Amino acid sequence: MCGCVHSTQDQALRLEGEPNPPAAPTSTLAPKNMPKRSVDSPLLTLRKGSDLEKAIATAALVFRNSSDPDGKLRKATAKNLLQTQFKNFAEGQETKARYKDLLSELDEHTENKLDFEDFMVLLLSVTIMSDLLQNIWSVKITQ
């Protein structure tokens, strides 16, 4: 990964308030009777996870960081995330009827806010109708 010490994915998976990783490796000369540190953070576990697990964790963190204290996402914020964080998938969809219908349904959402499940359905719906996904499917993979 470009020779960086910490990858962008590692940074994206770090929660607010979670300590930064040490700048240098810890000494191997520490006393043997020193207790081992227990790691309870699920995000530390995900660093060893699959690409798909990291992708879902990143989507969950984007939702969490953008949502209100009640854990809901305002419709305007959801639209903004589509334009800023999901622009490669949303690009070119603005004139398509299915995309307009999707945004119209978002406007008609009764609560005026989305929970995480609604947000993920929105992302998947935009992904499925996107030109980018069609381009991804058309790429031939050689082994």
Side-chain angles (χ1 to χ4, degrees):
M1 294 197 142
C2 78
C4 300
V5 174
H6 302 288
S7 74
T8 304
Q9 285 181 336
D10 285 346
Q11 291 172 359
L13 294 176
R14 191 172 302 121
L15 283 174
E16 279 184 40
E18 185 179 19
N20 289 332
T26 56
S27 171
T28 57
L29 301 175
K32 291 182 181 183
N33 61 353
M34 192 172 226
K36 291 187 178 182
R37 184 176 159 209
S38 104
V39 178
D40 294 332
S41 172
L43 297 179
L44 292 178
T45 302
L46 279 174
R47 287 189 182 144
K48 298 175 186 174
S50 70
D51 290 343
L52 186 56
E53 290 169 323
K54 290 176 184 178
I56 297 298
T58 300
L61 287 173
V62 168
F63 176 85
R64 180 175 175 236
N65 290 336
S66 301
S67 63
D68 293 339
D70 64 353
K72 302 274 183 157
L73 195 64
R74 290 183 8 252
K75 290 188 297 186
T77 304
K79 286 182 180 181
N80 182 282
L81 286 173
L82 285 179
Q83 295 168 348
T84 59
Q85 298 286 320
F86 215 59
K87 63 183 173 189
N88 291 317
F89 282 98
E91 188 174 51
Q93 304 306 308
E94 300 86 3
T95 59
K96 294 182 178 179
R98 288 178 62 197
Y99 186 78
K100 287 180 182 180
D101 289 344
L102 187 62
L103 290 184
S104 174
E105 287 176 29
L106 186 59
D107 286 333
E108 295 168 6
H109 199 272
T110 56
E111 285 184 29
N112 201 28
K113 292 184 178 181
L114 302 175
D115 61 17
F116 182 66
E117 182 179 346
D118 294 330
F119 177 67
M120 292 303 290
V121 168
L122 174 66
L123 292 182
L124 289 173
S125 298
V126 172
T127 300
I128 289 168
M129 70 178 74
S130 72
D131 296 332
L132 179 57
L133 182 63
Q134 299 312 311
N135 291 338
I136 291 169
W137 291 139
S138 69
V139 172
K140 295 201 185 255
I141 300 174
T142 58
Q143 293 184 355

